[in-house]
Structures are given as C-alpha cells and as structure tokens.
Amino acid sequence: MRLIHGLVAAAAVLVVIAILGGVALVALTARALDRIEAQDEISLTHRSLARDLDRTRRELTSATEWDAAYRAMGSRVDAAWADIDFAAYYKTQFDHDLTFVMRSGRVVYAARDGLRAAPARLGSFPGRAAPLAEDIADDARRALDAGRLGAAAEVSRTGLMQVDGATYLVALASVTPESRAAAETYRGPPAVVVTARRLDAAFIRDFSETYGLDRLELRAGPVGLKPYAPLQDIEDRRIGVLTWDSADPGLSLLKSLAPWLAAGFLSLTLAAVLLFRRVADALIQLKKGRCELVAAKEEAEAANAAKTLFLANMSHEIRTPLNGVLGMAQVMAADTLSEPQARRLQILEESGRSLLAFLNDILEIARLESQAVRLRSEPFDLADLVETACAAFSGAAAAKRLGLSTDIAVEARGRWRGDPMRLRQVLSNLVANAIKFTEVGRVTVRVRPSAKGLRFEVEDTGPGLAPEHLASLFKSFSQVDSSATRQHDGAGLGLSICRELVELMGGTIDVQTAPGHGASFHFVIPLERVADERPSLRVVG
C-alpha cells in the first residue's frame, strides 16, 4: 500500500508539473511569437526606408539625366529653367523640401519648398553635402571622359542625413547628358543636384499608416522595451532610431485564450483527481491479483517442465524397445524368407524407422525446450559439411528423379568455427523436406558469405506454400496439410527443430515462397572463419 500511495503521489506531482509546464510553454510560445513579430517589423522598417531612398534617387535622376538639364547647368546656370524643372518639379511631384545644385564645392542654385532661395537658407546642408558632391562629380567626369552617356554615365548616392537637428532622406546625382551633341556644349566641372525630404510628422504618419506601425516615432535612442529600428546616415553613423508600439500578437492571443485555458486546466485537474482514484483502485486490484498471476505462472512453468520431462522419458522408453524390434528385423532379414515374408518384414522395418525418427524429433524438441542442448565450437570444412549433408539424400533424390546440387561461393569455401553437427542437422532437415515435397525438378543448396557469417539456402521446385500457412510454418507439430488424407507423413517437428537450433546458434531463419513457384528456405549463422593450417617448414642442417 505504501508503494501504491507513493505512485499516486508521484503521478499527482507529475500532473501538476505538466499543468505548470503547459502554462509556461504557452507563455514562452506567445513571447517567442511576439519577438518574431518584432523582428519582422524591424526588417520591414529597414526595407521600407531602403525603398523610400531608392524611390528618392529615381525621382531625382528623372530630371538630372536629360540633355536640357545638362545645358541649363552648364557654364551659365539657367535659373529660370531650374525654377520649373528642379525646384517646382521636385516639390509638386514628390514633396521634396529642398533642392540645390553644387559645382566645384559651391552652391550655384538653391530652392526651398519649391521656390528659389538664397544658399544661406539651406543652413548646414551645403557643407555636409560638399564632400559627397565632389566624389560624385569626379566619378561623373571620368564617365564622360570615357565616352559614357545617359544612364551609363549616371552617378548617384542616397542615404539619411541629419542637418541642423532634422533628419532627411537625401539623394545626390550628377547632371548627365543623353547625347554626344549635348555633352559637347559644356566641358567644365560637372554639376551635382542634391534633393532632400525631411522625416517630419507628416512623413512619419504616412509611414506608420502604410506599414501598420502603431505610434511610430523618430527618437535619438530606444525607449523602454518598445521595438526599434536603428538609423544610419549616409556616412554610416548612428543618428537615431524609429520606435513604435509592439503589436504583441502572442500576448494578445494569450489574454484572449486565458479564460478557456483556465477552464481547460481546471477540467484537466478534476479529470486527474478522478483518474488517480481509479489508478489507486486498479493498483490495489493489481496487487491482489499479482500473487495469483505468479502462482499461475509457476504452475504453467511446472506443467511445461513436466510435459518436457514426460516427452523425454516416454521417447526414451519407447525408443529402447523399438531399437530392439528394428535389430531383430535386421536379423530376420538375414534369413531365407519367402517374397511375401520379405515384403512384410521390409514394411515393418520402414515403419519402425519412421517411428524412431519421430521419437528422435520429440526427444530433440524436449531437449531444446529444457535448454539441455549445448553447442560445440570446433573448426570444420564448409564444403565437406555441405556435401555430407546432401549425400545422405542423394538416393532419395535419385529415386524421385530429382536433381540435387550444391553451389558454394568461392569466398565462402574453407574452414570455419562453429557446431558442425547442429549445422549439418539443420541443413539435412531442410534438404529432406525439399526432396519430400518436390515431385519434379531439382533441389539446390547454396552457401554465400554474409556480413554476419554464412547464409545457407535450400531451394526447391515444389508446389510452394500459400501465404496463410507461413505464420505457423516453424511451430511445433504444425502441418501445412493437416487433413487425414494428406500425401506426406511427418509430425511437423522438422522446421520447428531447425528454428530452435538456428536461434540457439544466434542466427535467423526464414522462407520465400509462393504457390506454384517452389520454396526457398534460408538461414544466416554467425560463424568465424578459421585460417588454413599449413605445416611449418623447418630447416635441417
């Protein structure tokens, strides 16, 4: 009872741990889902900013890659043209906040909010953009000198830039001619157009609505546990973060499911209590029935041992007088007998030998079941063993005009270590069965090396076996044809003995057969190869 109570208590602890573990697993899953969602939102933010920068570059180059723009930004800047096709164009079409043109490190045209403006109104922008503009101008000059025009000569850069406390989407591009004629009109330093759009409240609001980021803000650094996307400027310097309220789908789902989860866990707890009571009752009944089960097992084992002893004793007791009968029959056969007497004596001797073989099989089964059979380990020649096992049945095969042949692989020949007597017994039983059930054709014995030792196969051209007979084929006293009119005699012990002996030797036995296609019995035995013994040479002198 103490053990039963301990088992029930342990089961209760396991259920409590399972419930708490389930709650923890659900919470961890929800948290992991929230982290995945936050990472997805961060990746979405970075990709979206990259797309906005790329769109800003395309918007800029839509007017800078143009013969008219190259001529207008030549040695004499056409400010009236720039008012329409740079300042007003970028403001009205794309809502850029400021646009200016730089050449040789200075501003040659400036516009703010779509209107021409003095360079001073650009604040620190020209100074921040000048190094980048010089690099772009150098690249553009090399492209023109190499004869490239249009898109092939375009040089541009995009990125974020923090100027005078504000953050901008910035794009820079060289003014590029499309034709050779336009390129020839001006050979001076290239002009670089800079356009910028501020990340103001309107931009942040549109970005938040477009990509579903709640309460999106541009800040100098992270705030609490809110997810954020760090921002790098065009020169890869940290300039702030975009932060927003996390959607937390996992936590929201957990909150919505909390009542149902609580009800489920409560139901599970009640079911566990009832189950524990049933288990306790079952364990008590099991304890009561255990003694009966042990007693029944011991009684069954005693009965089986008694049966085995009875079979062994009876087989021995019957075999002794039967040997006397067979011996006397042989003595009588030496006398001069009439033909009827000789035929009757032959029938008597054949019947006695069949009975003796049956008794030997019973005795062998009894010894195997009582584990009285002991294996030997000695070297033997494989070819001799197979030939000897088959030679004993050559007469029976010839009487039925059956072919009996052996096929031993070259790599399997030689000496092996095992129990040759038991191995020959298994092989003889299988060959005897094959000849007995085969009326036309042949019986072939094959031996091949196996990863575990040797594989023996006895193949015949007999009638084969139906699938429904295979399950009981290797059982004791099992007959494929159990009717009173069956054609072949036998007690159904041969294959059972084969199975017991093969398993005793550590091997496996099986059959492949089909009705009308013969049968192939094969078994694999773990044997050890023995090196050939050769006489050593001794030098005499």
Side-chain angles (χ1 to χ4, degrees):
M1 289 299 295
R2 185 175 300 173
L3 176 61
I4 294 175
H5 291 157
L7 290 174
V8 173
V13 172
L14 289 176
V15 169
V16 172
I17 293 175
I19 293 175
L20 295 178
V23 174
L25 181 61
V26 172
L28 288 174
T29 302
R31 183 57 184 161
L33 180 62
D34 292 341
R35 283 198 296 268
I36 293 173
E37 179 68 17
Q39 289 297 327
D40 289 343
E41 290 175 344
I42 293 171
S43 299
L44 173 65
T45 302
H46 283 302
R47 292 195 303 270
S48 302
L49 281 174
R51 283 196 297 267
D52 284 348
L53 286 170
D54 186 61
R55 184 169 59 248
T56 303
R57 180 190 62 80
R58 293 196 305 271
E59 293 167 355
L60 174 60
T61 56
S62 65
T64 58
E65 187 184 319
W66 192 16
D67 284 347
Y70 190 76
R71 292 191 181 95
M73 295 297 111
S75 56
R76 183 168 176 268
V77 175
D78 189 343
W81 184 94
D83 288 342
I84 298 172
D85 293 286
F86 277 171
Y89 173 70
Y90 290 130
K91 179 63 179 178
T92 58
Q93 296 295 322
F94 310 117
D95 200 24
H96 292 190
D97 293 293
L98 57 89
T99 302
F100 58 94
V101 182
M102 298 192 72
R103 184 166 54 224
S104 300
R106 68 184 186 87
V107 177
V108 297
Y109 175 82
R112 192 175 187 95
D113 296 325
L115 300 174
R116 192 191 310 175
R121 292 194 59 197
L122 300 177
S124 303
F125 240 115
R128 291 291 310 277
L132 299 173
E134 285 300 314
D135 291 341
I136 293 174
D138 291 341
D139 292 341
R141 172 52 59 196
R142 283 191 289 269
L144 288 175
D145 291 343
R148 295 196 297 270
L149 298 170
E154 174 196 311
V155 182
S156 62
R157 283 193 64 180
T158 60
L160 299 176
M161 188 176 290
Q162 200 168 59
V163 181
D164 299 330
T167 303
Y168 294 86
L169 291 170
V170 179
L172 302 91
S174 61
V175 180
T176 305
E178 295 180 295
S179 66
R180 178 59 59 189
E184 294 298 332
T185 62
Y186 174 69
R187 306 291 292 178
V192 176
V193 180
V194 183
T195 186
R197 181 181 180 187
R198 184 176 179 179
L199 271 66
D200 55 9
F203 178 90
I204 296 297
R205 183 174 58 255
D206 292 342
F207 196 94
S208 174
E209 293 175 355
T210 301
Y211 300 108
L213 301 175
D214 295 336
R215 298 184 181 180
L216 182 68
E217 294 179 301
L218 176 62
R219 289 182 168 271
V223 179
L225 297 177
K226 297 173 66 173
Y228 66 92
L231 302 179
Q232 306 288 123
D233 69 3
I234 198 168
E235 296 172 334
D236 292 330
R237 291 178 300 190
R238 182 78 170 265
I239 59 173
V241 298
L242 282 176
T243 183
W244 58 91
D245 288 345
S246 176
D248 291 336
L251 183 60
S252 300
L253 179 62
L254 183 61
K255 290 180 179 179
S256 64
L257 294 178
W260 298 99
L261 291 175
F265 287 138
L266 180 61
S267 301
L268 181 61
T269 303
L270 294 176
V273 172
L274 296 177
L275 179 61
F276 292 152
R277 295 188 60 182
R278 296 294 300 272
V279 169
D281 294 340
L283 289 175
I284 294 173
Q285 296 298 324
L286 181 62
K287 183 178 180 181
K288 292 180 180 178
R290 182 180 178 185
C291 294
E292 298 177 2
L293 181 62
V294 171
K297 179 177 179 294
E298 292 177 349
E299 183 178 353
E301 290 177 348
N304 185 60
K307 177 212 61 171
T308 301
L309 181 61
F310 171 77
L311 289 176
N313 290 336
M314 288 300 297
S315 299
H316 180 74
E317 294 298 329
I318 296 175
R319 191 168 57 168
T320 300
L322 182 59
N323 282 328
V325 171
L326 291 175
M328 186 55 64
Q330 292 176 354
V331 172
M332 292 176 63
D335 295 338
T336 302
L337 302 173
S338 64
E339 184 178 348
Q341 289 175 332
R343 187 168 59 253
R344 292 166 187 163
L345 186 61
Q346 182 182 3
I347 295 174
L348 174 64
E349 186 175 0
E350 291 177 352
S351 299
R353 292 192 182 281
S354 297
L355 180 57
L356 181 61
F358 173 64
L359 292 174
N360 286 336
D361 286 344
I362 292 180
L363 183 60
E364 186 73 8
I365 283 292
R367 294 179 64 213
L368 287 169
E369 288 184 353
S370 62
Q371 299 181 353
V373 175
R374 295 292 180 267
L375 296 177
R376 296 184 297 179
S377 179
E378 58 186 54
F380 64 90
D381 185 83
L382 177 66
D384 291 345
L385 183 144
V386 175
E387 294 295 340
T388 302
C390 294
F393 303 96
S394 58
K400 299 181 71 172
R401 297 182 179 180
L402 298 175
L404 177 59
S405 61
T406 60
D407 177 11
I408 304 175
V410 175
E411 56 269 26
R413 291 180 178 273
R415 294 171 62 79
W416 296 79
R417 180 175 294 279
D419 191 331
M421 185 183 72
R422 296 301 178 183
L423 188 56
R424 188 184 302 112
Q425 183 179 355
V426 174
L427 201 58
S428 298
N429 278 352
L430 294 180
V431 173
N433 265 6
I435 293 175
K436 180 169 65 174
F437 291 101
T438 302
E439 300 299 331
V440 178
R442 63 186 305 100
V443 175
T444 305
V445 179
R446 296 187 182 89
V447 185
R448 298 287 185 270
S450 169
K452 296 182 179 179
L454 289 177
R455 184 181 189 274
F456 296 82
E457 179 183 5
V458 178
E459 183 182 51
D460 62 58
T461 56
L465 298 170
E468 60 268 17
H469 296 143
L470 298 181
S472 60
L473 189 61
F474 292 98
K475 295 181 180 179
S476 298
F477 302 100
S478 173
Q479 290 278 3
V480 172
D481 182 5
S482 58
S483 65
T485 60
R486 65 177 187 263
Q487 297 179 358
H488 305 284
D489 57 359
L493 294 175
L495 291 180
S496 177
I497 292 174
C498 289
R499 177 182 60 81
E500 293 284 351
L501 288 175
V502 168
E503 292 180 354
L504 183 63
M505 289 186 283
T508 56
I509 186 170
D510 204 352
V511 61
Q512 291 180 346
T513 182
H517 293 83
S520 172
F521 286 85
H522 52 270
F523 62 96
V524 178
I525 301 293
L527 298 174
E528 178 184 355
R529 183 178 282 279
V530 178
D532 293 336
E533 298 179 359
R534 293 185 175 89
S536 60
L537 297 178
R538 184 177 62 179
V539 178
V540 179

